[in-house]
Amino acid sequence: MQSSKLEQLSYNTSIMKLNGKLIFLLFSAYIVRLIGLNQSLWLDEATTARVVQQFNYGQIVAQFSPNDFHPPLYYLFMKFWTNIFGYSEIALRMPSVLASLLTGYVVYKIVGLLGKSKSIPVWSAAFFLFNPLVVYYSQEARMYSLVTLLVVLIFWSVTKFKVQSSKFKISYVVLANVFIALSLGTYYGSVFFITALYGYLLLRKEFKTFLYLLPGTLIAGAVLYPLFLTQLKNSGEVLLAIPNWSTTLGKANLKNLILFPIKFTSGRISWDPKIIYYAVAGLWAAFVSLISIRNISNKKYLILYTLYLLPILLGFLTSFYKPLLQYFRFIYVIPFMSMLLALGASKKWQRVVLISGFVAFSLIYTYIPSFHREDWKGLVASLPSDTVCALPSSFDPLRYYNPKLITSDARSCATGTADIVFVPYVADIYGFDYANYFGQKKYTMTKEVSFRGVSYQLWSKE
């Protein structure tokens, strides 16, 4: 009996140490995410802000969503959130921060359910929480961190269903279907993960589980299909009206595919000369990738590899029809990469190198402002006039930082004799040759002021 008590005490002490490490990880990750959290909103974040400021819940669905490219659930949630916490940069981004931290915790719980050694759940959570691309998007007021949480909750629910033997087993099927529906309502791209999960279940002949998990997709599909068709039609019209818009969406090519391992391992930072950046980032990506695929022949980890790699492959194939192959659209697979890294890094030095590299890249991004988002805040604060010409896609960040600013479409604003303040952002995407346009109107550019990623120009009548 004494021996049994000692074993129980040893077990409890071990659990306390693990919980202490997890709490330290979560707290450290939270602190890292607070650094630079009030940096300027960029274009898409400003769209989030405009939607939740200007539309009520019904208008988000009926008026805004038909002309957007995403389902409405994220905006509806953000409407609720901002009604309580306001519209500052920090308030807008905090849901992504919290979703990212919760995802790290769920990753920890999942690996524990898989019955791995006590240290692997902690390392899995660490590799996710400090992944530099995850850190970047956990500071962004968009839906990517939220859908990542929902995706890992789907997998957690399915895993709990498989290992659970109590009468509450079926409750995890219900949860999985709820999370499937929520993920599709948050971000259409989660369909690639759900398809990969279904594919795995069919491959393993787990037909009963497959059927159990269909209702969430069917219900979400039935609700979202009419909106999706409208969005598809309207997006086609946008692509016709804006000549180079498709170039930003992510075509199915080798360059966009290569960016996945590079950005998944070093984040959104880049530097000159580019040859040195690609050499460093490429070698680091190769090292991380080799460890992540170390167990690829092990059938025990087939589900993790399926959920990590198959969504990207499906996105690649889809992009031959509809361009969407951008790495950030698939950050929801990084939790599975993190689990595979923890399983593949069998030696202590490998784990230390991995976490050190992730932390280093994350801190480079957070502490060096030149790697932060476009500085619309600085630009608006420095504008010499309350009247600005820009292309319509640029209006949201301008108005967010100065609601009284008068914005005009640059393609029709050179009609008087006064000086023109012009923001050339996305002019190349619109195919707008502003130099020729203003030149024909007898204007000459007399000044250009640049900020991080954006600028304004002053054009004067000759």
Side-chain angles (χ1 to χ4, degrees):
M1 182 174 291
Q2 186 66 27
S3 174
S4 177
K5 288 182 178 180
L6 288 174
E7 289 176 0
Q8 184 64 38
L9 179 61
S10 175
Y11 176 78
N12 290 339
T13 303
S14 177
I15 293 297
M16 288 175 63
K17 286 181 179 179
L18 282 176
N19 289 339
K21 290 178 181 178
L22 180 63
I23 291 170
F24 174 77
L25 274 178
L26 292 169
F27 178 75
S28 301
Y30 177 65
I31 295 300
V32 168
R33 283 155 172 76
L34 293 182
I35 301 170
L37 192 60
N38 65 338
Q39 63 181 272
S40 174
L41 298 185
W42 81 287
L43 184 70
D44 286 3
E45 291 181 290
T47 297
T48 299
R50 172 178 66 86
V51 171
V52 296
Q53 283 180 311
Q54 296 184 3
F55 296 98
N56 61 36
Y57 293 102
Q59 290 170 335
I60 288 174
V61 175
Q63 296 181 26
F64 170 75
S65 288
N67 298 300
D68 190 41
F69 305 102
H70 299 288
L73 189 58
Y74 173 75
Y75 298 106
L76 294 172
F77 169 76
M78 288 299 293
K79 178 68 178 179
F80 172 79
W81 176 272
T82 52
N83 281 345
I84 300 171
F85 297 103
Y87 305 99
S88 69
E89 295 103 338
I90 292 176
L92 287 163
R93 288 169 171 153
M94 191 54 69
S96 294
V97 170
L98 298 177
S100 177
L101 297 175
L102 284 171
T103 303
Y105 175 74
V106 178
V107 166
Y108 169 85
K109 299 296 288 185
I110 288 171
V111 180
L113 288 173
L114 296 175
K116 302 306 170 186
S117 66
K118 295 174 182 177
S119 64
I120 292 179
V122 175
W123 282 107
S124 299
F127 292 147
F128 174 79
L129 289 168
F130 290 98
N131 181 286
L133 192 65
V134 169
V135 170
Y136 184 93
Y137 281 98
S138 68
Q139 291 189 319
E140 184 155 299
R142 297 295 285 168
M143 64 286 298
Y144 305 112
S145 285
L146 180 58
V147 78
T148 302
L149 172 61
L150 292 169
V151 159
V152 297
L153 285 171
I154 294 169
F155 186 54
W156 170 81
S157 301
V158 173
T159 306
K160 286 286 285 186
F161 169 72
K162 288 186 174 184
V163 302
Q164 187 65 254
S165 58
S166 72
K167 61 181 180 181
F168 300 107
K169 184 181 179 77
I170 197 65
S171 65
Y172 294 106
V173 170
V174 175
L175 280 176
N177 279 285
V178 169
F179 294 135
I180 286 171
L182 291 176
S183 68
L184 290 170
T186 300
Y187 177 56
Y188 290 132
S190 62
V191 71
F192 297 122
F193 168 83
I194 296 164
T195 302
L197 177 60
Y198 288 161
Y200 172 82
L201 294 173
L202 292 174
L203 178 67
R204 301 290 292 179
K205 298 182 180 179
E206 298 183 30
F207 302 121
K208 185 179 291 187
T209 306
F210 168 75
L211 292 173
Y212 282 159
L213 299 179
L214 271 181
T217 299
L218 296 176
I219 293 170
V223 172
L224 292 170
Y225 187 66
L227 173 63
F228 179 73
L229 284 182
T230 302
Q231 290 176 324
L232 204 60
K233 174 179 176 293
N234 291 339
S235 66
E237 294 175 357
V238 170
L239 288 172
L240 290 174
I242 304 177
N244 299 320
W245 194 271
S246 62
T247 62
T248 69
L249 300 179
K251 294 183 178 180
N253 56 43
L254 184 61
K255 177 186 175 183
N256 284 332
L257 206 55
I258 290 174
L259 283 176
F260 276 83
I262 290 177
K263 297 302 183 181
F264 273 19
T265 55
S266 58
R268 288 290 300 257
I269 68 172
S270 178
W271 61 81
D272 291 320
K274 291 298 181 185
I275 189 169
I276 295 178
Y277 162 70
Y278 283 116
V280 173
L283 288 172
W284 173 243
F287 172 72
V288 177
S289 298
L290 285 173
I291 293 178
S292 70
I293 63 172
R294 184 174 182 176
N295 294 308
I296 199 165
S297 61
N298 192 328
K299 292 183 179 180
K300 291 191 301 182
Y301 306 130
L302 177 61
I303 189 168
L304 296 179
Y305 282 108
T306 300
L307 299 180
Y308 170 36
L309 298 174
L310 188 54
I312 298 173
L313 175 60
L314 293 172
F316 176 73
L317 295 175
T318 303
S319 293
F320 284 104
Y321 171 65
K322 284 289 183 181
L324 50 77
L325 194 67
Q326 291 181 311
Y327 57 88
F328 63 84
R329 301 185 194 277
F330 295 84
I331 65 167
Y332 57 74
V333 304
I334 292 180
F336 304 97
M337 183 185 85
S338 303
M339 297 179 210
L340 290 166
L341 283 175
L343 292 165
S346 57
K347 298 179 181 178
K348 184 177 180 180
W349 72 265
Q350 294 172 335
R351 295 173 177 177
V352 171
V353 170
L354 284 170
I355 197 63
S356 298
F358 284 165
V359 169
F361 279 114
S362 294
L363 292 180
I364 288 171
Y365 153 66
T366 53
Y367 274 108
I368 301 179
S370 60
F371 295 129
H372 290 180
R373 292 164 180 79
E374 302 155 356
D375 188 12
W376 290 93
K377 185 192 299 188
L379 180 143
V380 172
S382 300
L383 289 174
S385 172
D386 287 335
T387 302
V388 175
C389 290
L391 292 162
S393 295
S394 306
F395 288 173
D396 288 344
L398 293 169
R399 292 169 177 170
Y400 174 81
Y401 283 108
N402 184 357
K404 296 181 179 179
L405 201 64
I406 301 171
T407 53
S408 302
D409 191 326
R411 295 167 295 185
S412 59
C413 68
T415 56
T417 58
D419 290 349
I420 293 173
V421 178
F422 171 58
V423 176
Y425 191 81
V426 301
D428 54 338
I429 294 175
Y430 274 74
F432 177 47
D433 185 356
Y434 59 86
N436 181 58
Y437 172 77
F438 288 128
Q440 289 181 352
K441 301 291 184 178
K442 306 300 182 184
Y443 278 84
T444 301
M445 188 175 72
T446 57
K447 184 179 182 181
E448 183 169 19
V449 182
S450 296
F451 297 82
R452 187 175 57 249
V454 289
S455 66
Y456 74 81
Q457 301 170 350
L458 189 65
W459 290 78
S460 303
K461 201 78 170 180
E462 294 178 358

